[in-house]
Amino acid sequence: FFVLSHRAAMLFARSFSRLSPNTAKPILSVARSFAAKSDSIEIPIDNPYKFHKCEGLTDKVTTNPEELINAFKTMYTVRRMEQGADKMYKARKIQGFLHLYNGQEAIVTGLEASLTKEDSIITAYRDHGFAYTRGCSIREIYAELMGKATGCSKGNGGSMHMYKADANFYGGNGIVGAQTPVGAGIAFTHKYKQTKNVCISLYGDGSANQGQLFEAYNMASLWKLPVIYICENNKYGMGTSVNRAAANHEFYTRGDFVPGIQVDGMDFLAVRNATDYAKEFALENGPIILEMVTYRYVGHSMSDPGTTYRTREEVDSVRKLRDPIERVRVKLVKQEICTEKEIKEMEKEIRAEVDQAAKDADADPYPEDDQTFQNIYWKEDVPVRGVELSDSYHPSA
């Protein structure tokens, strides 16, 4: 069994600013005043962890005022950004597929609180929040959703294929489960280069029965690769409940020889704490699985109303009892870090920032036609045949 040896030192040394993306707002003065009195707060997580072939993770988390404020701001920004994308899609400013992250914000925020930009992330197609926390601006994300030249993938990727190479964010992948063996390959690179970093490879419960996932488990275990597999279990693979799709839906145990932990994926502190543990474990021992039990408030994609396979009462109940943003809001008030008025002011600033980003992205230009035929071959401009021969592309001399 693996037991953390220097966990207290890691927590004490945590950087206050690590969680803040490049668009984060300044911390409120009342929070600085509180932090000066007590930098360290110990808070129990709401739901206990469950373990498979590992131990040593406690149910109490050490945090500080600045981390909680940044967590709230990050999650609220991701929520507002996704709500804005919903409106833009319905206004036909966004075309094609659109998979939203509403309800799952504690996962991306908690993960990033334990990582650096030298660690790598690869995920599936519900990727907007990860693009944001990896450093893409809201404007770049909205521009990408609208297919604009200023998008984080230059308008080529859209909703499912956002990337940020300088922050080790590898997308954004549209084929179910296909990113999981790639995640093992990225982790292999970290081990080969001896970087002391990990790869976070995320997949949903709908991918959990894919054969390639188990092949990736096996290779990662044989080579002791520093990869953390994150199963975002939002209870439904498209419109199918996990109870109907998986004979064993305790996904943290599904790796057999791979240790695993079940985490309340709607509790920011539980996610951050588990990721701290998993990162140190993976660097010393190889792969580990974190099953994040979460919930999406919206349908699988914009074509799915989300109410044909579950009741509105079920969705409303989760919103009321488990919402990740509200849970941090309660902690901020209870710990006397912020007042309700100050929280509302933060929310107002974030709403204004998101709204402005949407306007800016809407005014941005579309790519030139020639860009359609670029980035197909590495540094090579070659003819590309169109569906109709007359639509083919021929490089200029």
Side-chain angles (χ1 to χ4, degrees), residues 116-297:
T116 73
K117 296 301 187 292
E118 300 303 313
D119 296 307
S120 301
I121 294 179
I122 186 168
T123 187
Y125 39 74
R126 215 174 294 277
D127 62 344
H128 312 155
F130 292 93
Y132 174 69
T133 61
R134 286 278 104 176
C136 295
S137 69
I138 303 169
R139 179 179 182 172
E140 289 174 325
I141 293 168
Y142 276 161
E144 188 60 37
L145 290 173
M146 290 189 279
K148 300 298 184 74
T150 53
C152 55
S153 296
K154 299 183 180 180
N156 293 319
S159 173
M160 297 193 288
H161 301 288
M162 297 186 176
Y163 297 91
K164 189 166 177 58
D166 60 0
N168 290 298
F169 178 52
Y170 295 90
N173 294 270
I175 305 300
V176 174
Q179 71 279 4
T180 55
V182 181
I186 297 169
F188 179 86
T189 301
H190 283 308
K191 183 167 185 174
Y192 185 80
K193 292 184 174 181
Q194 300 181 343
T195 63
K196 298 300 181 183
N197 296 107
V198 299
C199 177
I200 305 291
S201 184
L202 297 106
Y203 61 96
D205 53 272
S207 304
N209 298 314
Q210 287 276 320
Q212 58 194 327
L213 174 62
F214 296 92
E215 293 178 58
Y217 287 164
N218 186 58
M219 287 188 292
S221 296
L222 286 172
W223 298 334
K224 297 189 183 303
L225 301 181
V227 57
I228 304 173
Y229 280 106
I230 307 286
C231 177
E232 294 185 284
N233 177 10
N234 62 24
K235 300 297 185 178
Y236 295 94
M238 298 186 72
T240 304
S241 167
V242 294
N243 298 323
R244 296 176 56 218
N248 175 7
H249 46 82
E250 291 189 319
F251 298 109
Y252 70 104
T253 69
R254 294 279 296 273
D256 185 17
F257 42 80
V258 181
I261 306 172
Q262 188 182 79
V263 183
D264 181 352
M266 300 181 83
D267 181 347
F268 159 74
L269 288 177
V271 175
R272 193 267 286 161
N273 194 40
T275 309
D276 280 347
Y277 176 99
K279 182 175 179 178
E280 188 173 350
F281 181 98
L283 288 170
E284 292 186 18
N285 299 274
I288 185 171
I289 300 167
L290 299 182
E291 177 193 351
M292 303 291 181
V293 181
T294 185
Y295 198 85
R296 57 170 165 80
Y297 297 153

Side-chain angles (χ1 to χ4, degrees), residues 47-84:
N47 295 296
Y49 299 110
K50 293 182 180 179
F51 299 93
H52 171 67
K53 295 190 175 180
C54 60
E55 64 178 14
L57 184 58
T58 70
D59 290 344
K60 291 185 178 180
V61 183
T62 301
T63 184
N64 58 68
E66 191 161 0
E67 181 178 56
L68 288 175
I69 289 175
N70 285 336
F72 178 85
K73 292 167 71 174
T74 301
M75 289 192 290
Y76 190 77
T77 300
V78 173
R79 176 75 58 86
R80 292 298 304 188
M81 184 175 71
E82 296 291 67
Q83 290 171 339

Side-chain angles (χ1 to χ4, degrees), residues 329-341:
R329 183 199 301 271
V330 168
K331 289 179 174 64
L332 289 172
V333 175
K334 185 176 180 180
Q335 296 292 333
E336 298 181 345
I337 297 171
C338 297
T339 65
E340 285 286 358
K341 182 179 179 181

